Amino acid sequence: MRSILFILLVSSTVTNSQNTFPQDYFANPLEVPLVLAGNFGELRSNHFHSGLDMKTQQREGLKVLSSADGFVSRIKIAHFGYGKALYITHPNGYTTVYGHLQKFSPEIEAYIKKQQYEKESFEVELVPTAETLPVKKGSLVAYSGNTGGSGGPHLHFEIRDKEERPMNPMLFGLDVKDTSKPVVQAVYAYALDENASVNNSNTKQKLRLTPLKTGDYTTENVEAYGNIGFGIETTDRQDLAANSNGVYNIQTFVNGSQNYEVDFGMFSFDESSCINQFIDYEHYMGSRQRIQKLFRKNNPLSILKPIFNDGILSVKDSTSSVYKIRVSDYKNNESVVTINIKGKKSSISTPKPEKTTPYYIVADQSTNLKSGNVSVDFYPDTFYENFYMDFDVKNDTLTLHKDVVPTRKNFTINYDISNYKDADKDKLFIARLVGYKKYPSYSFTKRNGNVLTTSTKTLGTYALASDTEKPTISALNFKDGQWLSDFRFLKVKIDDALSGISNYRATVNDQWILMEYEYKNKTLTYDFNDNVVGNGTNNFKIIVTDNVGNSATFEAVFYRK
C-alpha cells in the first residue's frame, strides 16, 4: 500500500528537475555557505515569508554580492520593514531583493547619501535609471545587517518575476542541504456545518497522533458524518540549522485520489494577508500555534489548489475511507499522515457553541455601527465570512469583538470629540488597548474638525487616549562642551512613552545632518565621515516630535579639529 501511494504522489507532482526556471543564473549573494534562518512561504504574522532569510554567522558586515548581472532599479530605506533594501533588475526579467542591510557599497552609498541630503530625509525611496548603477554578477553591492523589522543579523533575499510576485529562490537552483523529513506536530478535524460531526462532536477535534518507525504518522480512527475538513501543524528543518521553517508542499488524498494541494512556490503580495484565513486564526490568537487548514472556504489564495470539492470531505453513513496527508520539503523529503474514517451518523453530543448578538455582519455588504460618539464603518468584503459581532461603547472605550476573526481589508473607526475642551483636542488619539493590562497602543489617527479617524485591520478594544508628554532626548556618547576630534559617530537616544515618535530633525550650525534611526534600540547616529561638520565650534540641535505634536529640543556644543 505504501509503494502504491508513493507512485501516486510522485506522479501528481511536478518534480524539481522538471521546472523551467534558469538553474545557473542566480548565485548565492553571500560568500559563506547558504544556511537558512527562514525559508520561502513560511507562515509569519499576517503574511507569508517572501524570500530566504540567510544566516550571516550571527554578525553584521558580511559582503553582499549581486546574484547576477543587472542594474540597481530601486533603493528603499525605511525605519521598519526591510530597513535598508536594494533591488536589482536582471536582463532575464527577474528582480532580486536584498533586505535588512547594514550599508551599501561605496558607489551606491554615495548615490544614496547625496539624495538623502538633498531631500533632508533618512527615509528615501529611489528609482535609478538602468545606466546609473549597473552591477555584475558577484560584484559587491552592500553589507549584511539587522536594519528594519529584523530580529537578528541576517540577509533577506528574494527573487521576483516581472509582475513583482515573489518566487521560491530554490526553484532557481540555490541549494540548501536538507535530508530531514518535515515534522508533524498536530492534526485536527473540523465539522464544517451544523449537521456535521467528528467523533460525535460539532467542534474542532485534535486527533491523537502516533509517529511510526518509518517517519510517517497515523492517527486514531475517526467517526464522522457530513462535510468535514482537516488541518495540520507542520514544520521543516534543514541540516545545518536548528530553525523550524516552513514546508514546501502539502497534498491530501481520499482513497488514493488527490483532493487538495498547498504549493508554496509563488504568491503575490496583495494576497499575502489571506494567510489569516488559511490558518485557524482564532486558534492562533489563543495559542500562537498555526493550524494550516486543508480545505478552502472563501479564500482567494493562489497557493491553494482545490482539486476536488475545495478539499472538503462529504462523509456518508456506513462508509469507510482512508485520508492521507503528504507533507514535503523542497528536497522531496516527505512525511505522510494516515487517517481512517468511518462514516457514522449519530447524535451530536458536543454541539458548537452559538452566540448571537444584535450585530450580524454580512461579509459582502457594507455595515455601519454607531453608539454615542463612536462609529465604525465596514466596507464590502472586509471579512471572509458572516458572523455575529460584539459591539459596545462605554466611556469612550469601544469593544469591537475580539481579535479572533480574520479581516481582508481595512475598516475605519471614528470618534466625535466635540465634547472635549479645545485645549485638549490636539493631544487626543485613538489607541488600541493591548495585553493583559490593556496598554494603549497608538493607532495612526487623522483629525478632521471634531472627528478623529483611524484605519485598521484589527478587531479588539479601542479607546481615546491623551498624550501631553514631550519625547525624551539624551546624548549617548558625548557631553555638552566636549572635544570630539577622534569620534567617528555622534549618537543620541530618543523615546516617547505613549503616542510614539513621528519625526525628528537634526542640525549642526543650522545645517541639516543625516542621522540614521534604529527603532529597536531607539538611537540616532550621525557619521562624521559625511564631512558635513567642520573644525572648530559646532552647535548641535535636534527636535523630536511625537504623533500628537508634542516636541522636545536638545542642544549641545562640541568641538573638532
Side-chain angles (χ1 to χ4, degrees):
M1 179 66 183
R2 167 76 179 170
S3 60
I4 294 173
L5 175 63
F6 179 80
I7 292 171
L8 288 170
L9 297 178
V10 172
S11 65
S12 65
T13 305
V14 177
T15 63
N16 298 339
S17 62
Q18 292 175 318
N19 79 53
T20 58
F21 304 102
Q23 296 301 290
D24 300 315
Y25 194 88
F26 296 107
N28 179 0
L30 297 174
E31 295 179 318
V32 298
L34 184 53
V35 181
L36 300 185
N39 62 358
F40 185 86
E42 194 168 275
L43 310 182
R44 300 285 180 89
S45 294
N46 300 315
H47 70 286
F48 295 98
H49 191 231
S50 57
L52 302 179
D53 281 348
M54 300 178 173
K55 287 180 177 267
T56 55
Q57 301 176 336
Q58 300 180 333
R59 56 195 175 103
E60 299 183 41
L62 273 64
K63 291 182 179 180
V64 176
L65 313 177
S66 178
S67 190
D69 291 356
F71 67 94
V72 176
S73 55
R74 182 184 176 201
I75 303 164
K76 185 173 183 180
I77 298 179
H79 297 146
F80 309 105
Y82 290 172
K84 295 183 178 182
L86 191 69
Y87 300 71
I88 298 175
T89 296
H90 306 281
N92 63 356
Y94 293 102
T95 296
T96 51
V97 183
Y98 312 76
H100 307 305
L101 302 171
Q102 179 192 64
K103 59 182 179 180
F104 303 88
S105 68
E107 181 185 8
I108 298 173
E109 189 81 13
Y111 171 82
I112 295 169
K113 284 202 172 183
K114 183 176 185 294
Q115 300 294 320
Q116 288 175 314
Y117 272 96
E118 287 182 1
K119 298 175 185 294
E120 294 192 354
S121 175
F122 168 61
E123 290 192 298
V124 292
E125 186 167 5
L126 309 173
V127 185
T129 64
E131 296 77 25
T132 304
L133 295 169
V135 295
K136 288 291 186 180
K137 184 175 184 177
S139 63
L140 175 70
V141 293
Y143 295 87
S144 66
N146 186 33
T147 56
S150 170
H154 72 278
L155 174 68
H156 175 86
F157 177 75
E158 295 179 15
I159 299 178
R160 300 182 183 179
D161 68 5
K162 293 179 180 179
E163 297 178 41
E164 284 291 301
R165 293 176 300 187
M167 311 180 73
N168 193 332
M170 292 185 182
L171 292 167
F172 297 84
L174 271 72
D175 190 41
V176 178
K177 188 177 181 181
D178 186 354
T179 60
S180 301
K181 293 185 175 187
V183 176
V184 178
Q185 289 90 3
V187 174
Y188 292 81
Y190 293 79
L192 298 180
D193 57 53
E194 61 183 10
N195 298 317
S197 65
V198 176
N199 293 339
N200 298 322
S201 175
N202 192 238
T203 63
K204 176 178 61 186
Q205 298 292 299
K206 184 176 183 179
L207 304 181
R208 187 171 63 252
L209 189 66
T210 303
L212 304 176
K213 291 182 179 180
T214 61
D216 293 331
Y217 303 83
T218 187
T219 72
E220 63 185 284
N221 293 338
V222 171
E223 290 186 351
Y225 178 77
N227 291 329
I228 69 169
F230 290 90
I232 189 171
E233 289 180 42
T234 182
T235 56
D236 187 46
R237 177 179 293 178
Q238 285 80 44
D239 288 9
L240 301 178
N243 303 72
S244 293
N245 298 327
V247 301
Y248 178 69
N249 186 274
I250 306 174
Q251 297 176 340
T252 66
F253 300 81
V254 181
N255 296 331
S257 297
Q258 187 176 350
N259 78 324
Y260 204 68
E261 182 175 4
V262 186
D263 178 39
F264 295 98
M266 177 180 69
F267 59 86
S268 61
F269 284 107
D270 60 4
E271 64 177 339
S272 189
S273 64
C274 295
I275 186 176
N276 289 335
Q277 180 70 354
F278 169 61
I279 65 172
D280 185 330
Y281 187 67
E282 183 173 5
H283 182 93
Y284 170 69
M285 294 306 295
S287 67
R288 294 295 161 179
Q289 297 168 337
R290 294 185 175 96
I291 303 172
Q292 301 178 59
K293 294 186 290 190
L294 303 179
F295 55 92
R296 186 170 73 170
K297 292 186 71 177
N298 305 313
N299 196 339
L301 264 176
S302 62
I303 67 170
L304 305 181
K305 317 294 182 184
I307 294 169
F308 180 74
N309 200 31
D310 283 336
I312 297 171
L313 283 69
S314 295
V315 181
K316 297 181 179 180
D317 192 23
S318 302
T319 59
S320 294
S321 54
V322 178
Y323 181 83
K324 289 183 180 285
I325 308 170
R326 175 193 183 254
V327 184
S328 61
D329 59 28
Y330 188 77
K331 289 299 186 73
N332 283 324
N333 302 300
E334 66 173 46
S335 298
V336 176
V337 182
T338 300
I339 306 171
N340 292 299
I341 305 171
K342 179 181 179 181
K344 183 178 181 180
K345 185 175 183 179
S346 58
S347 59
I348 298 175
S349 59
T350 310
K352 186 178 295 182
E354 286 196 20
K355 178 181 179 181
T356 60
T357 74
Y359 310 101
Y360 186 68
I361 304 298
V362 179
D364 63 357
Q365 297 179 12
S366 61
T367 304
N368 173 264
L369 303 178
K370 192 175 188 312
S371 178
N373 64 327
V374 181
S375 65
V376 183
D377 294 313
F378 297 111
Y379 309 103
D381 299 319
T382 297
F383 301 99
Y384 295 92
E385 300 178 56
N386 304 341
F387 70 104
Y388 286 98
M389 172 175 283
D390 287 323
F391 172 76
D392 188 42
V393 177
K394 290 181 180 178
N395 300 323
D396 286 338
T397 297
L398 164 66
T399 299
L400 197 60
H401 212 71
K402 292 181 180 180
D403 184 19
V404 295
V405 178
T407 55
R408 194 169 176 177
K409 60 173 68 171
N410 284 29
F411 57 90
T412 58
I413 300 173
N414 310 286
Y415 273 83
D416 187 330
I417 57 172
S418 301
N419 292 333
Y420 280 83
K421 296 179 180 178
D422 288 341
D424 298 331
K425 292 176 181 178
D426 288 341
K427 304 304 178 184
L428 294 174
F429 65 93
I430 301 173
R432 182 167 176 257
L433 305 184
V434 298
Y436 175 75
K437 294 184 178 181
K438 299 296 184 183
Y439 181 82
S441 176
Y442 177 80
S443 183
F444 181 74
T445 304
K446 293 183 178 180
R447 181 180 171 187
N448 184 9
N450 285 320
V451 177
L452 296 182
T453 300
T454 189
S455 178
T456 179
K457 292 182 72 173
T458 306
L459 297 174
T461 305
Y462 290 82
L464 281 183
S466 177
D467 183 0
T468 59
E469 300 292 325
K470 295 180 179 180
T472 58
I473 310 171
S474 57
L476 287 179
N477 68 336
F478 68 98
K479 296 179 182 179
D480 186 27
Q482 186 176 351
W483 282 89
L484 304 180
S485 301
D486 298 326
F487 281 51
R488 168 73 186 273
F489 300 105
L490 186 71
K491 295 187 176 184
V492 173
K493 182 174 183 178
I494 62 175
D495 197 8
D496 188 76
L498 194 52
S499 64
I501 301 296
S502 173
N503 59 72
Y504 61 89
R505 178 179 174 82
T507 59
V508 171
N509 301 328
D510 295 325
Q511 182 176 357
W512 184 86
I513 61 171
L514 172 64
M515 298 200 79
E516 299 195 356
Y517 180 49
E518 175 50 74
Y519 79 93
K520 291 189 286 290
N521 55 23
K522 303 174 182 178
T523 59
L524 291 171
T525 301
Y526 167 71
D527 187 345
F528 282 109
N529 283 355
D530 285 358
N531 295 319
V532 174
V533 176
N535 293 334
T537 302
N538 290 281
N539 297 291
F540 173 67
K541 181 178 181 180
I542 183 168
I543 301 173
V544 180
T545 306
D546 66 20
N547 279 300
V548 298
N550 298 307
S551 292
T553 302
F554 175 92
E555 296 185 85
V557 175
F558 65 87
Y559 307 94
R560 282 177 67 85
K561 63 179 180 180

